[in-house]
Amino acid sequence: MRILVTGGAGFIGSHLIDRLMAQGDEVICLDNFFTGRKHNILKWLDNPYFELIRHDITEPIKLEVDQIYHLACPASPIHYQYNPVKTIKTNVMGTLYMLGLAKRVKARFLLASTSEVYGDPEVHPQSEEYRGNVNPIGPRSCYDEGKRVAETLAFDYHLQNNVEIRVARIFNTYGPRMLENDGRVVSNFVVQALKGQPLTVYGDGSQTRSFCYVADLVEGLIRLMNGEHTGPINLGNPDEYTILQLAQAVQNRVNPDAEIIFKPLPQDDPKRRQPDITKAKTLLDWQPTIPLAEGLKLTIEDFRDRVTSPEGHHLASV
Ligand code: NAD
Ligand code: UDP
């Protein structure tokens, strides 16, 4: 099969490409390198079944493919808030062009949506039926509302034009290849601990998140794409931790002497988040297999190479 991965040079996209290439598919990676890195896909560049296209999805493009994993969009608050209008364009125009492409070539289209469509949730855990509590004019709305429109577009192309769609609502995912300066909590804490800097907990650290290791998530995406259900389907690890617990877990593993300091909580920061994965379990026979302790170990090893060796640091910045 010929498979297009938008955002394929990014964190999740590059792990997905590793799986698709290993199973013998032909892969086209499309990326504008805003938060993606060539280094993430370096090992495939000479492979004749792999093609890299530098392209911004806010412009149309014509390609012939069988499946589209649509992941292109910055995922970390500091990156998606850097240029909010661009984030909306990426989610709305970018998704529109990719759905147009799927319609033209009759490709199956999977949207990487997000738990952020639930906003600061009033129900817990979040099931797919919950319609969310999103601030339409807050600092997170370019991303949250952008993804909500992207879901709407996917379903409208499905209902109006019979495009085969799959919608994954991805919860916080972590693992090797996250950017050092990503600003997301796992990468921040690990980098801070490795550099001997204080770990920055926002607020009092009582807010919760549920962290899914990237290999588990990629397995869920592939099952969703190749299964019979459009979704939306939550993909995430239901093991819920407070941010303070996460800081302590990283502290214990990397540097028990690392200090924990408290900084102001960003506006509209969701208080609790935990996926209800009943649908993924029953419809996709999927559930995460890698507990936080194990995933953190693998993530810390990857960051240790980059943060502590000058060569690793240089390579990872390409
Ligand atoms: P990432 O920032 O590492 O990857 C996004 C990729 O998209 C990057 O390679 C970036 O360069 C590319 N990109 C951004 N804008 C683009 C544009 N206009 N044109 C072309 N390429 C563009 O993020 P990630 O964590 O790998 O997330 C991938 C997808 O999964 C995103 O759609 C994100 O919203 C979704 N998601 C991620 C998480 C998570 O915890 N990582 C959670 C929920 C949803
Ligand atoms: N957070 C934190 N310290 C950091 C970065 C993030 O305490 O250095 C908090 C953040 O306020 C949020 C949680 O960790 O409550 C998860 O943040 P992240 O940006 O990783 O993901 P999201 O908020 O989008 O789920």
Side-chain angles (χ1 to χ4, degrees):
M1 239 187 301
R2 188 186 288 166
I3 302 178
L4 172 64
V5 181
T6 75
F11 162 54
I12 298 176
S14 63
H15 284 281
L16 173 65
I17 287 177
D18 288 351
R19 279 286 307 273
L20 297 174
M21 289 298 295
Q23 69 189 32
D25 290 309
E26 199 177 324
V27 173
I28 301 178
C29 167
L30 194 156
D31 209 293
N32 72 348
F33 297 110
F34 175 44
T35 51
R37 295 286 172 269
K38 253 188 214 157
H39 183 252
N40 290 341
I41 42 162
L42 207 57
K43 63 174 167 297
W44 304 119
L45 287 182
D46 290 333
N47 189 306
Y49 296 104
F50 179 79
E51 206 176 327
L52 172 64
I53 303 176
R54 180 188 284 264
H55 174 79
D56 193 309
I57 56 156
T58 58
E59 302 288 338
I61 186 167
K62 281 196 173 166
L63 297 165
E64 317 300 320
V65 293
D66 303 303
Q67 291 187 338
I68 303 170
Y69 286 90
H70 179 44
L71 274 65
C73 176
S76 155
I78 53 164
H79 291 126
Y80 72 65
Q81 289 170 17
Y82 171 74
N83 184 343
V85 173
K86 175 72 189 222
T87 301
I88 298 183
K89 277 187 178 174
T90 296
N91 274 315
V92 179
M93 293 163 62
T95 304
L96 191 86
Y97 291 140
M98 287 304 136
L99 280 160
L101 197 161
K103 177 185 156 192
R104 185 176 60 83
V105 301
K106 297 192 171 36
R108 190 177 284 186
F109 174 94
L110 182 146
L111 173 68
S113 185
T114 170
S115 54
E116 295 275 335
V117 299
Y118 303 125
D120 188 3
E122 296 143 314
V123 302
H124 194 82
Q126 294 81 53
S127 73
E128 292 83 352
E129 282 69 39
Y130 178 51
R131 292 189 187 173
N133 176 34
V134 172
N135 176 0
I137 54 168
R140 299 174 85 98
S141 52
C142 59
Y143 183 76
D144 302 1
E145 298 287 20
K147 289 283 186 182
R148 288 170 70 100
V149 175
E151 287 198 13
T152 308
L153 280 169
F155 275 88
D156 284 342
Y157 267 82
H158 174 58
L159 296 170
Q160 193 177 328
N161 303 112
N162 291 319
V163 174
E164 280 193 60
I165 59 154
R166 303 287 182 265
V167 176
R169 289 190 180 149
I170 302 170
F171 283 65
N172 295 63
T173 301
Y174 70 100
R177 299 187 196 157
M178 293 180 91
L179 291 176
E180 267 176 60
N181 63 350
D182 197 59
R184 279 182 279 192
V185 69
V186 174
S187 43
N188 268 12
F189 287 171
V190 172
V191 170
Q192 288 162 344
L194 286 169
K195 288 186 170 169
Q197 296 166 349
L199 277 59
T200 53
V201 170
Y202 301 160
D204 62 4
S206 63
Q207 72 273 32
T208 69
R209 295 292 186 274
S210 307
F211 299 99
C212 186
Y213 187 68
V214 64
D216 280 333
L217 193 269
V218 163
E219 175 65 31
L221 291 176
I222 291 175
R223 285 190 190 212
L224 175 60
M225 174 65 105
N226 296 296
E228 295 311 312
H229 303 277
T230 56
I233 293 190
N234 289 339
L235 293 178
N237 190 325
D239 290 342
E240 185 184 1
Y241 296 87
T242 69
I243 294 303
L244 189 57
Q245 282 173 326
L246 178 73
Q248 287 159 345
V250 174
Q251 186 188 40
N252 288 338
R253 288 204 156 267
V254 182
N255 180 359
D257 296 329
E259 200 189 340
I260 293 180
I261 58 169
F262 295 87
K263 296 238 171 167
L265 190 67
Q267 188 195 327
D268 293 342
D269 200 273
K271 281 180 274 310
R272 294 185 78 186
R273 188 183 287 153
Q274 183 193 32
D276 176 338
I277 59 163
T278 311
K279 277 212 165 105
K281 276 186 184 165
T282 52
L283 302 178
L284 308 178
D285 191 23
W286 174 87
Q287 63 181 327
T289 57
I290 300 169
L292 184 66
E294 195 183 329
L296 269 185
K297 186 169 165 284
L298 297 166
T299 308
I300 291 164
E301 278 166 19
D302 171 68
F303 273 105
R304 200 185 291 279
D305 288 346
R306 286 188 275 159
V307 172
T308 54
S309 104
E311 194 196 354
H313 182 80
H314 168 71
L315 280 175
S317 63
V318 177

